Amino acid sequence: MKIIQHEKQISIEDFNSYMDISFIEYCKSCSHYGKKWSCTPLPEYPDLNQFKRVNLYAMQIIFSEFERKTFVDGAEIEFTKRLFKIIKSKEHDRLMSIRAKYPGSMAFASGDCILCEKCTREINMPCIRPLEMLISLDALGINIGKITKEQFGLDLKWNQNGLPEYYFVTSCLFLK
């Protein structure tokens, strides 16, 4: 496995071209829908137009031929869950460190929040780590596939009875 970190800064106007609220509809089929504070339906949508620039981050996880041949016939599912938990945790810490350098910035990431074992939303309680939680880019209606294609020149890949050539973990930091 090899990891490559892609980074790019774009204007908020360019970022807005990746917003497509129809993508929020896909969230309804997710097991996290309405169960995590980072996911749809969001209690409040942030005003992203208060920002001027967006730092895009795409962590590309490239699998070796050995890994692609080893994790097949369903084994890739458990492997992917464990891998994403580790990778997303590291990316969360890295993003929090970068965010600390830019007062007033906001950070977001693809997928659900991974901070708590069980989200307090399931018991109708407020988030216990709201300053650390990363709202899902998916929940904002962001077309992540279009961002990775247009900004980094790479298509998203999916499991098809085994690991794909690579995965992405995408995040961003909105700057004033």
Side-chain angles (χ1 to χ4, degrees):
M1 179 182 327
K2 178 180 172 183
I3 297 176
I4 299 173
Q5 184 69 46
H6 302 273
E7 298 182 19
K8 189 169 189 180
Q9 187 175 90
I10 63 174
S11 69
I12 190 65
E13 293 81 14
D14 287 342
F15 184 84
N16 285 340
S17 72
Y18 299 110
M19 296 189 83
D20 182 345
I21 58 167
S22 69
F23 274 81
I24 294 173
E25 286 299 310
Y26 294 117
C27 293
K28 291 179 180 178
S29 64
C30 178
S31 63
H32 303 299
Y33 182 81
K35 294 181 180 175
K36 292 201 173 194
W37 288 115
S38 62
C39 299
T40 54
L42 295 175
E44 182 179 338
Y45 283 81
D47 176 16
L48 301 179
N49 288 316
Q50 67 179 303
F51 301 100
K52 292 185 172 129
R53 299 166 291 143
V54 182
N55 286 354
L56 302 174
Y57 306 101
M59 184 185 297
Q60 184 182 16
I61 305 143
I62 303 169
F63 299 107
S64 68
E65 194 63 36
F66 173 79
E67 289 163 327
R68 293 176 67 202
K69 288 180 179 175
T70 302
F71 295 102
V72 295
D73 298 326
E76 75 278 7
I77 296 169
E78 189 57 35
F79 174 78
T80 299
K81 284 180 186 177
R82 290 180 183 185
L83 176 66
F84 274 153
K85 189 169 186 168
I86 294 165
I87 295 289
K88 286 181 72 171
S89 178
K90 289 182 185 292
E91 181 63 4
H92 176 274
D93 293 346
R94 188 178 86 85
L95 203 54
M96 291 295 101
S97 176
I98 296 169
R99 185 179 77 175
K101 297 174 187 174
Y102 298 96
S105 62
M106 285 184 78
F108 299 85
S110 57
D112 62 313
C113 178
I114 47 97
L115 292 176
C116 301
E117 193 66 35
K118 185 170 178 117
C119 184
T120 56
R121 187 172 187 176
E122 290 191 48
I123 55 172
N124 205 28
M125 297 294 292
C127 177
I128 60 172
R129 297 171 78 178
L131 299 178
E132 298 171 68
M133 179 191 65
L134 298 176
I135 293 173
S136 171
L137 288 167
D138 311 80
L140 297 174
I142 304 303
N143 184 337
I144 294 170
K146 189 175 177 184
I147 287 176
T148 59
K149 179 68 173 173
E150 291 182 5
Q151 296 299 324
F152 302 115
L154 297 162
D155 292 315
L156 290 179
K157 303 286 185 175
W158 304 98
N159 287 358
Q160 291 182 356
N161 192 32
L163 294 172
E165 179 185 347
Y166 58 81
Y167 280 135
F168 271 109
V169 173
T170 309
S171 58
C172 62
L173 185 68
F174 287 77
L175 304 164
K176 293 200 173 201

